[in-house]
Each structure stands twice: as structure tokens, then as C-alpha cells.
């Protein structure tokens, strides 16, 4: 195992010690609800998509702050299930995306810019045309992944171990 993978596995093991059940009762964990979203035809898939959380027990906790008080590192844990629907055909896929993530922010970063996600999936990410190192689509990454967002929101995904699914392809069938 490479040093980088070992470090990531160790970090994630420490993170997973904070289970969602414990998160509800201690240590600064707060709910982190996910919003439904719509993607018009051509932005993520060839057809319009609607995604809706059907179970959302995700919690977050700030682990480190910059000297100005802004968040430097944050953890996410908890169950999350989404229904993702092809609005042209009404075909729906239910996906479990309740993985765990450790998010590092550059100064002034957000979840979708200047941040790096270290995750044990499953987790879901959308890609626009030329929006990263994956073709346009809505992906579920299940395993150990790193997703780095640059200042414009372009994503670079590194898969250490695991599988990925493009839900656009599955919803087209």
C-alpha cells in the first residue's frame, strides 16, 4: 500500500470512529441537509434530471479553522439516499450515497470551489461538459476517492480503490 493510500485509510478510519449515532448526541455535530436539485437537458445528462433526497441523516462537524475563523477542515457522516429521475421517461434510480467525507478548504473555499474531498463512498457528484476529469454526467463514487475542486469548480477525481457509476447511462436504459 502506498504511503498516500495508507495515510488516507488511516484518516478515514479515524473519521469513521465518529459514527452517525454518536454524532447525534455529542461533539459539535450538526445536521447537514441536502437539497433536491434539477439539471436541465444537456447540462449533466442528455435529458432533464431531478434528484430528491428520500433519507437524509447527514451530520457535519468542523474539525479545524483558519485564524480568521473560517472553516479549514470539516467531516461529514451519515445515511443519505436520493431518488434520481430522468424527467423525459420518468425512470427513477434510488442511490445510496451515504459515505463519509473529510473536506479540506483553501482560504475562502466552499464545498464546490477550492476544496478537496477525501471520501469513503458512496458519494454523488455531477460533472458539466469540461467540468473535470470525467465526462459530463452524474456519478456515484463508491470506495476510496479524492475529489479536488479548483477555483472555478472544475473537479479532479482520483480513485484509490472502488467503483464509479454514471447515472446518466443507467437512466437512459
Amino acid at each position: 500500500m502506498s504511503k498516500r493510500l495508507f495515510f488516507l485509510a488511516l484518516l478515514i478510519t479515524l473519521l469513521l470512529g465518529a459514527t452517525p449515532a454518536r454524532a447525534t448526541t455529542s461533539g459539535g455535530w450538526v445536521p447537514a441537509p441536502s437539497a433536491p436539485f434539477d439539471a436541465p437537458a444537456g447540462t449533466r445528462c442528455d435529458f432533464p434530471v431531478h434528484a430528491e433526497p428520500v433519507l437524509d441523516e447527514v451530520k457535519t462537524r468542523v474539525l479545524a479553522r483558519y485564524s480568521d475563523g473560517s472553516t479549514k477542515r470539516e467531516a461529514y457522516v451519515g445515511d443519505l439516499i436520493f431518488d434520481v429521475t430522468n424527467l423525459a421517461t420518468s425512470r427513477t434510480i434510488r442511490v445510496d450515497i451515504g459515505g463519509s467525507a473529510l473536506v479540506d478548504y483553501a482560504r475562502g473555499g466552499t464545498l464546490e470551489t477550492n476544496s478537496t474531498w477525501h471520501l469513503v463512498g458512496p458519494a454523488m457528484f455531477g460533472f458539466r461538459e469540461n467540468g473535470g476529469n470525467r465526462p459530463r454526467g452524474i456519478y456515484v463514487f463508491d470506495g476510496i476517492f479524492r475529489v479536488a475542486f479548483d477555483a472555478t469548480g472544475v473537479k479532479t477525481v482520483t480513485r484509490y480503490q472502488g467503483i464509479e457509476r454514471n447515472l446518466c447511462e443507467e437512466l437512459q436504459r
Side-chain angles (χ1 to χ4, degrees), residues 99-166:
S100 298
L102 184 65
V103 181
D104 290 319
Y105 300 93
R107 287 194 182 272
T110 69
L111 281 174
E112 296 179 350
T113 61
N114 291 322
S115 64
T116 301
W117 294 60
H118 310 276
L119 54 96
V120 175
M124 183 168 60
F125 290 87
F127 285 78
R128 66 185 188 274
E129 192 70 37
N130 300 311
N133 65 342
R134 297 295 186 273
R136 180 173 54 102
I138 300 171
Y139 290 82
V140 173
F141 300 123
D142 194 357
I144 301 172
F145 288 80
R146 178 179 174 268
V147 181
F149 290 77
D150 73 10
T152 64
V154 171
K155 303 169 198 72
T156 300
V157 177
T158 304
R159 176 174 52 190
Y160 296 102
Q161 180 178 352
I163 60 170
E164 52 191 82
R165 302 165 49 193
N166 186 341

Side-chain angles (χ1 to χ4, degrees), residues 1-171:
M1 181 184 302
S2 73
K3 285 183 184 179
R4 180 179 233 171
L5 183 56
F6 174 77
F7 174 73
L8 182 61
L10 177 62
L11 196 60
I12 290 168
T13 300
L14 294 172
L15 174 63
L16 291 178
T19 63
R22 288 175 45 200
T24 60
T25 60
S26 67
W29 290 93
V30 296
S34 295
F37 69 88
D38 292 294
T43 60
R44 299 296 184 266
C45 303
D46 292 338
F47 44 84
V49 173
H50 176 74
E52 182 88 29
V54 294
L55 172 68
D56 189 347
E57 297 177 353
V58 176
K59 306 270 185 206
T60 187
R61 183 174 114 181
V62 174
L63 302 175
R65 293 190 182 277
Y66 286 105
S67 59
D68 66 1
S70 62
T71 302
K72 182 176 184 177
R73 175 172 285 160
E74 191 168 32
Y76 288 84
V77 296
D79 294 331
L80 182 58
I81 297 174
F82 259 76
D83 280 349
V84 182
T85 303
N86 175 338
L87 294 176
T89 65
S90 298
R91 179 179 162 110
T92 299
I93 296 174
R94 181 161 285 178
V95 292
D96 175 353
I97 53 173
S100 298
L102 184 65
V103 181
D104 290 319
Y105 300 93
R107 287 194 182 272
T110 69
L111 281 174
E112 296 179 350
T113 61
N114 291 322
S115 64
T116 301
W117 294 60
H118 310 276
L119 54 96
V120 175
M124 183 168 60
F125 290 87
F127 285 78
R128 66 185 188 274
E129 192 70 37
N130 300 311
N133 65 342
R134 297 295 186 273
R136 180 173 54 102
I138 300 171
Y139 290 82
V140 173
F141 300 123
D142 194 357
I144 301 172
F145 288 80
R146 178 179 174 268
V147 181
F149 290 77
D150 73 10
T152 64
V154 171
K155 303 169 198 72
T156 300
V157 177
T158 304
R159 176 174 52 190
Y160 296 102
Q161 180 178 352
I163 60 170
E164 52 191 82
R165 302 165 49 193
N166 186 341
L167 299 181
C168 296
E169 293 171 358
E170 294 179 31
L171 286 166

